[in-house]
């Protein structure tokens, strides 16, 4: 089977230089991968020429020209209504027409969600799509959804997120019956607001491997395979986490650059500090999945470099291989029949 | 003026050894401070004897015996109804009877809030109290409320939190008109759920120095002096932040203890790593304020050591000195008259 992925080449903070370099790396790693770069044709060609990839990868590259780009701070409504020839829109259209199996974009998250939802529609039985990402933990990594697509999810929507997330984790990671935790302000039954208590009841009554409430620090302890939450809390937890990590890096750097003596210590400690950084490299966890759509769409971090955009392409490749859309659809229809 | 503070001596993970040592330190630093230790009298006396503080501090120590202790995982309802002679309850009763000016406890947060609210009542015009804490930032520290007392706050409640927090920051930190941000999933006006949009309108119409929406990472950038949020998101952001910090410390330690060579590097880097750790020591930010009550109650982290419990006592001392209850009460009544 050939796996076909469209790349929103112009999307993200860095656009074509990063997306094309990452794409070439992916083509060299996966021999059954075919990529369609969407964006300004001549700019994509110029970038491809710089890298002069081996002829066996060039045969697996296609370019589709798009005249517009969705800006990083553009309103999703404007991007959806006014930019019908944006690289993002055209890349998603290719999923809709079954020309490709998946799309990867580092563009504006709100616009990507709005356009994907409009073009691809949701799976029958799923009311709203959600964004699932991988997060590092003390022992490896875990998964969390929703990371910000929805800001007022009902208990039923949270149950749908858990169902989709469970299937996606099972299929892409090979974890049978992933353990699931519901993000709350305490682990005890009595904790939390009404919405979270109702959601917990729904999860207990489901066939999912639900373990109960987890707290914010459980994300990074790796207590469960999948953390479920509304996108409002999920996004705040994610951004607060990024903020703490940046602040700690800032203070670590400051301590090592305080004077000539600490700078010498920094030189000596360089390999150890590199080892530390690599164990937490956020690029390793790049590539969030827009679950619940009738097609695979993977969102890369906007500021991704080519190494981390490559990781997002790998995620799309894995999801296509695992046929997660078919599996989510059939599981959701089983759940619907039960009602 | 003598400043009188009651200490829930038996509260917290470590109880009397930590609270008494911290208290003695506070008495030696503040010559106008008088402390009432509440808990098992003989255990408190034994601990005091170990330290044999100078006679001029002993004259400022009182002990009030209490026969019970609120457990760390006890239900707030049980603690409130069944343990009327707990060290926590008696320490708060001393605030109610004006025997002391403030209370400090490292005990169970839910129980402390429930008992404080029942015994002290809220300030007229304040519907629900909130927990405000200090958080480290890249440039110093900021303040955030609510950190978990309320899990479903209305826009009006969030406005009350902002009003109380603003006065507390102004009075205890000497910042005139503190800048305020509302925690959301984006900075743009259109972002967030209905509740957050309505709250933003209320804040804009107020006399507060409201700057608009802030995101999770803005907490640690120090974008504003005060971050306002519902306790559900506040607690999740706080715990997720603690989780990331623990995970990063874990990986840093692992990198430096990987083999004999990295252990030698660790020895060389010890002063630098100590400098780094001290810049982020959470103990420096210990002491969260239960705002909105008719009395000063400061919550210490349950696992606080004596240095950080001392910081919580300092917070109570500062709040008494700044007369924050009177100032919150008069500001809230001005706001009420406007309506």
């Amino acid at each position: 089977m050939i796996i076909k992925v469209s790349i929103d080449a112009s999307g993200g903070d860095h656009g074509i230089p990063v997306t094309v370099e990452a794409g070439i790396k992916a083509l060299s790693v996966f021999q059954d991968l075919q990529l369609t770069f969407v964006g300004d044709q001549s700019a994509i060609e110029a970038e491809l020429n710089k890298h002069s990839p081996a002829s066996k990868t060039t045969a697996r590259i296609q370019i589709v020209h798009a005249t517009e780009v969705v800006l990083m701070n553009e309103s999703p409504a404007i991007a959806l209504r006014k930019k019908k020839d944006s690289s993002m829109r055209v890349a998603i259209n290719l999923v809709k027409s079954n020309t490709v199996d998946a799309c990867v974009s580092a563009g504006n998250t709100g616009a990507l969600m709005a356009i994907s939802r409009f073009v691809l529609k949701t799976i029958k039985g799923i009311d709203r799509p959600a964004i699932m990402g991988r997060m590092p933990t003390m022992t490896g990594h875990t998964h969390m959804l929703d990371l910000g697509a929805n800001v007022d999810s009902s208990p039923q929507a949270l149950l749908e997120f858990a169902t989709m997330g469970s299937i996606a984790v099972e299929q892409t990671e090979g974890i049978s019956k992933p353990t699931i935790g519901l993000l709350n302000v305490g682990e005890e039954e009595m904790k939390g607001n009404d919405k979270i208590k109702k959601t917990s009841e729904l999860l207990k009554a489901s066939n999912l491997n639900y373990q109960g409430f987890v707290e914010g620090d459980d994300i990074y302890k790796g207590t469960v395979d999948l953390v479920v939450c509304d996108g409002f809390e999920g996004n705040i937890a994610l951004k607060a986490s990024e903020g703490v990590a940046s602040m700690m890096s800032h203070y670590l750097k400051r301590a090592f650059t305080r004077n000539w003596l600490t700078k010498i210590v920094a030189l000596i400690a360089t390999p150890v500090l590199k080892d530390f950084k690599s164990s937490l490299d956020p690029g390793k966890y790049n590539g969030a999945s827009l679950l619940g759509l009738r097609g695979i769409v993977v969102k890369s971090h906007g500021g991704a470099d080519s190494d981390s955009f490559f990781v997002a392409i790998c995620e799309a490749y894995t999801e296509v291989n695992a046929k997660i859309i078919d599996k989510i659809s059939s599981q959701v229809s089983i759940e619907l029949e039960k009602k």
Side-chain angles (χ1 to χ4, degrees), chain A residues 101-280:
Chain A
D101 307 305
C103 164
V104 181
S105 173
N108 176 336
T109 312
L112 185 66
M113 183 52 95
I115 295 173
S116 299
R117 208 179 157 189
F118 178 80
V119 172
L120 299 174
K121 314 296 182 217
T122 53
I123 289 170
K124 194 182 167 189
I126 296 291
D127 187 40
R128 291 191 59 99
I131 301 175
M132 184 174 83
R134 279 167 296 171
M135 323 276 280
T137 70
M138 296 231 192
T139 52
H141 68 271
T142 185
H143 305 77
M144 185 159 152
L145 92 169
D146 172 30
L147 293 181
N150 307 280
V151 291
D152 215 350
S153 311
S154 64
Q156 178 61 32
L158 289 163
L159 173 66
E160 290 172 11
F161 298 171
T163 306
M164 298 191 293
S166 177
I167 297 164
V169 171
E170 184 162 289
Q171 298 300 326
T172 60
E173 306 264 346
I175 299 169
S176 171
K177 284 260 165 197
T179 52
I180 298 174
L182 184 61
L183 192 62
N184 195 1
V185 296
E187 285 167 25
E188 303 85 356
E189 291 265 331
M190 60 178 185
K191 289 284 178 81
N193 53 31
D194 282 349
K195 189 174 87 176
I196 219 78
K197 287 176 191 166
K198 278 181 200 153
T199 307
S200 190
E201 292 306 315
L202 290 180
L203 285 166
K204 274 184 207 159
S206 75
N207 291 324
L208 298 166
N209 190 1
Y210 175 58
Q211 304 286 307
F213 295 138
V214 292
E215 298 189 65
D217 51 344
D218 286 304
I219 303 167
Y220 301 97
K221 283 181 187 163
T223 309
V224 289
D225 299 318
L226 177 65
V227 176
V228 174
C229 58
D230 176 40
F232 195 76
E233 290 93 56
N235 187 273
I236 285 171
L238 182 69
K239 295 265 176 72
S241 300
E242 288 172 357
V244 170
S246 293
M247 180 181 66
M248 286 181 77
S249 302
H250 163 80
Y251 282 115
L252 191 62
K253 193 175 172 186
R254 197 181 70 168
F256 275 105
T257 54
R258 200 177 277 283
N259 56 46
W260 65 267
L261 197 63
T262 63
K263 283 179 190 165
I264 292 170
V265 175
L267 272 180
I268 297 165
T270 299
V272 184
L273 293 172
K274 267 195 182 163
D275 173 24
F276 163 65
K277 274 185 197 161
S278 80
S279 60
L280 279 170

